Amino acid sequence: MQAFVHQGTELQRTKLNEPGLKTNEVKVAIKVAGLNHRDLHIPERRGHDPEPLVLGSDGAGIIEAVGADVHSFAPGDEVIINPGLGWLHQSEAPPVSFEIVGMPYNGTFAQKYVVNEQYVEKKPSYLSWEEAGVLALSALTGYRALFTKGKVAAKETLFLPGAGSGVNTYIIQFAKAIGARVIVASRSDVKRQKALELGADLAIDTNQNWERELENETIDLVIDSVGRATFNRSLAILKKGGRMVTFGATTEDEVTINIREFFYGQYQLFGSTMGSKQELQHMLQFMEQYQIRPVVDQIFEYKNIEEAFHYLKEGKQFGKIGIRF
């Protein structure tokens, strides 16, 4: 089968033997796989490992074969891949066994993907293959950050540093669906306009003075995935006693805060990562109820997968990037 792997010091298209099938597993013929920032950083995390690892955490396809003990799915079923392994039930934090598809186990950038039947879900019928293929990782991350951790409520105001990330395009739609007010920041005029078209109530320039621009707003919740570059700026515009959720660090990991200002402000800070199978199922029901669709920026053919990686590195996308097999 065709597959895109990290091996040694290289990212490359190659051919691998199709994976075998255990009695509790399903084999999925991938139609579209989703590209995430995680895929960009796996080579540096793996070093010079000589074993080929198929990248990719997101995907959707058609079940081609099932093991003898599989009873929930049958050949021909259309499914999406759950990118989180070992986390079935909602909990305050993932269990020790939790792993994300695509490292250390083979991922979805291949013609065939095999996994335990617990880690696929029926594809929402109203979504296209392109939409379903880029859905799960970003949408689930946003759903847990917004609802499970952030506990957003109708008429509250949410602030998102960054407008065009895949996760934030879901959060904007999720928050608007339940009646929250959404404010985003971006350096890009184009991304600010697209965020407004998606439903955001206000979009400000990242380079502006946030405290001045938002002096008439009451920010109940901030969801920040940028890290050092925006963390303290986000904290400065949050109301006293407000909530802040962080799930990523696209800039530096380490952040310095004034701890006295933090405890006097009685702020609440929550970490969040991905989500459980239970939350994924709730999210799919929520999306179907409100007919929420993934924002797909661009789909690349598998033969042009290297171009997709380069495009993501440039950071010009608004929404998700997919790979069509």
Side-chain angles (χ1 to χ4, degrees), residues 16-205:
L16 299 176
N17 293 328
E18 283 192 21
L21 191 66
K22 295 179 183 177
T23 59
N24 59 356
E25 293 180 331
V26 297
K27 180 182 288 189
V28 180
I30 297 292
K31 300 282 284 185
V32 176
L35 183 60
N36 294 285
H37 276 95
R38 164 183 166 82
D39 301 307
L40 300 182
H41 302 299
I42 283 177
E44 61 198 59
R45 292 171 59 192
R46 290 192 84 220
H48 296 171
D49 195 319
E51 290 298 315
L53 175 73
V54 180
L55 303 187
S57 303
D58 272 327
I62 300 172
I63 290 184
E64 186 177 83
V66 300
D69 295 332
V70 171
H71 304 292
S72 299
F73 298 93
D77 285 348
E78 298 181 350
V79 297
I80 63 169
I81 307 303
N82 181 343
L85 304 175
W87 191 2
L88 298 178
H89 304 290
Q90 183 176 316
S91 54
E92 286 301 315
V96 176
S97 59
F98 174 67
E99 298 285 0
I100 298 176
V101 171
M103 182 178 165
Y105 307 111
N106 282 331
T108 57
F109 292 168
Q111 290 177 304
K112 305 294 168 64
Y113 173 73
V114 168
V115 72
N116 186 292
E117 67 171 324
Q118 295 183 102
Y119 301 111
V120 294
E121 300 292 337
K122 292 289 180 65
K123 170 185 167 290
S125 59
Y126 74 99
L127 296 182
S128 68
W129 283 116
E130 289 75 17
E131 292 168 329
V134 302
L135 172 64
L137 188 146
S138 293
L140 180 56
T141 298
Y143 186 86
R144 180 175 171 86
L146 182 65
F147 293 117
T148 308
K149 293 292 189 176
K151 300 190 184 303
V152 71
K155 299 184 179 180
E156 285 192 319
T157 297
L158 162 69
F159 179 71
L160 298 172
S165 75
V167 177
N168 283 352
T169 59
Y170 289 110
I171 291 177
I172 292 169
Q173 295 183 84
F174 293 165
K176 293 308 299 178
I178 59 97
R181 178 170 170 80
V182 178
I183 302 172
V184 303
S186 175
R187 293 185 177 86
S188 165
D189 290 338
V190 172
K191 290 183 180 181
R192 291 198 299 273
Q193 183 57 41
K194 287 185 176 180
L196 293 170
E197 292 170 1
L198 192 59
D201 297 280
L202 179 64
I204 65 174
D205 191 327

Side-chain angles (χ1 to χ4, degrees), residues 3-15:
F4 189 70
V5 305
H6 174 254
Q7 184 174 19
T9 60
E10 302 294 328
L11 287 173
Q12 59 188 352
R13 284 175 287 139
T14 188
K15 288 187 177 181

